[in-house]
Amino acid sequence: MQNVSFDFTGQTVAITGGARGIGLELGRFFIRAGAEVYLMDFDADEVGKAAAEIGAHAVHADVSSTADIEQAVEQITSETGRIDIIVNNAGILRDKVLWKLTDDDWERVLAIHAGGTFRLTRACVPHFRSQGFGRVINVTSYTGLHGNTGQANYATAKAGIIGFTKTAAKELARFGVTVNAISPNAETRMVASIPDGKKAELAAAIPLGRFGDAAEMCSAVGFLASREAGYITGVVLPVDGGISI
Ligand SMILES: NC(=O)c1ccc[n+]([C@@H]2O[C@H](COP(=O)([O-])OP(=O)(O)OC[C@H]3O[C@@H](n4cnc5c(N)ncnc54)[C@H](O)[C@@H]3O)[C@@H](O)[C@H]2O)c1
């Protein structure tokens, strides 16, 4: 998949959940656009392999751990002197109807999606402030906008990310930082884990008639991360074949 050309030469990008799926495609995209890329993931083996394959740096970090996140930001900023763009993309599913959800299903999903987004953004604020520049791109979901049976935990986390995006956009604007979100729809491992019947139902509801490819998420993220998008903040951009219309 060929993307619109962007130039991120001299910029440092950190992508959570970078071992596979959308995160890994974003890593490829930012490498091609000249950035120094750090793929962060709690899957140490896969993130090591993915980073070696695309020419990025691998950081073994669990976004639900403040210590891991702070250590990762310390490593990235001491190696490159900066952190310009973060993509809060790491995520898991623990789908069940709400009366079957355990406390752990609830807490883990919130701690990773919403908590991880908060933790990495918070850890980067001192660097964004001293640079007078930063780009935060969060990854929400159609489910956070509209709800979805079996995903009360995920919907809550993804809706929370939208509230966080808008609040952080207001708080960080004074430091030259924009905070936006994408709502993707891409055929990844996460989609493969959806039962076939449900998946066919979802595909049929997409106006463009198919799931997207992870690489099709990149131009939207690249645009929001670019200096040219500096007057856009607090938006949620669906990149979803029209499913959220
Ligand atoms: N694929 C879609 O259609 C779709 C739709 C809406 C939203 N999303 C969101 O996009 C993001 C990426 O999804 P994907 O489809 O590429 O999924 P994926 O399962 O292919 O990749 C997710 C990555 O996150 C990592 N991860 C999970 N928990 C982590 C943690 N605690 N710390 C660090 N890394 C962790 C996993 O190891 C994995 O590499 C997720 O936030 C997901 O909710 C995806």
Side-chain angles (χ1 to χ4, degrees), residues 38-235:
Y38 286 77
L39 300 179
M40 298 166 60
D41 207 288
F42 72 173
D43 186 337
D45 287 350
E46 280 305 310
V47 76
K49 278 190 244 162
E53 183 201 322
I54 69 169
H57 306 266
V59 182
H60 178 210
D62 181 340
V63 298
S64 68
S65 156
T66 297
D68 278 17
I69 289 291
E70 287 180 353
Q71 202 179 352
V73 171
E74 170 60 32
Q75 180 195 333
I76 294 167
T77 53
S78 62
E79 287 177 8
T80 71
R82 52 193 306 112
I83 188 157
D84 300 281
I85 299 162
I86 58 172
V87 186
N88 287 306
N89 165 79
I92 60 162
L93 295 178
R94 293 265 191 100
D95 293 0
K96 285 168 201 159
V97 282
L98 72 92
W99 59 93
K100 291 188 179 164
L101 282 175
T102 64
D103 284 2
D104 191 58
D105 294 330
W106 178 266
E107 275 147 26
R108 217 37 211 141
V109 166
L110 264 83
I112 292 174
H113 288 274
T117 298
F118 158 64
R119 278 182 202 92
L120 180 60
T121 307
R122 178 180 62 180
C124 292
V125 169
H127 304 283
F128 291 155
R129 286 185 73 161
S130 65
Q131 291 163 189
F133 179 85
R135 293 280 183 268
V136 180
I137 293 95
N138 299 326
V139 180
T140 182
S141 168
Y142 173 85
T143 299
L145 292 162
H146 299 281
N148 192 24
T149 298
Q151 295 196 310
N153 50 356
Y154 183 73
T156 302
K158 289 306 202 188
I161 286 173
I162 296 171
F164 178 80
T165 299
K166 291 174 188 283
T167 302
K170 288 182 175 178
E171 291 185 358
L172 300 182
R174 74 197 78 169
F175 308 132
V177 179
T178 64
V179 186
N180 293 292
I182 64 157
S183 173
N185 185 357
E187 189 121 36
T188 62
R189 180 185 71 150
M190 195 171 271
V191 171
S193 73
I194 301 171
D196 282 349
K198 182 79 189 162
K199 201 169 144 189
E201 202 182 292
L202 283 173
I206 301 170
L208 287 176
R210 61 175 177 87
F211 283 94
D213 185 274
E216 290 178 293
M217 310 300 118
C218 296
S219 294
V221 173
F223 171 63
L224 293 171
S226 69
R227 288 188 182 274
E228 289 77 4
Y231 201 57
I232 300 172
T233 198
V235 307

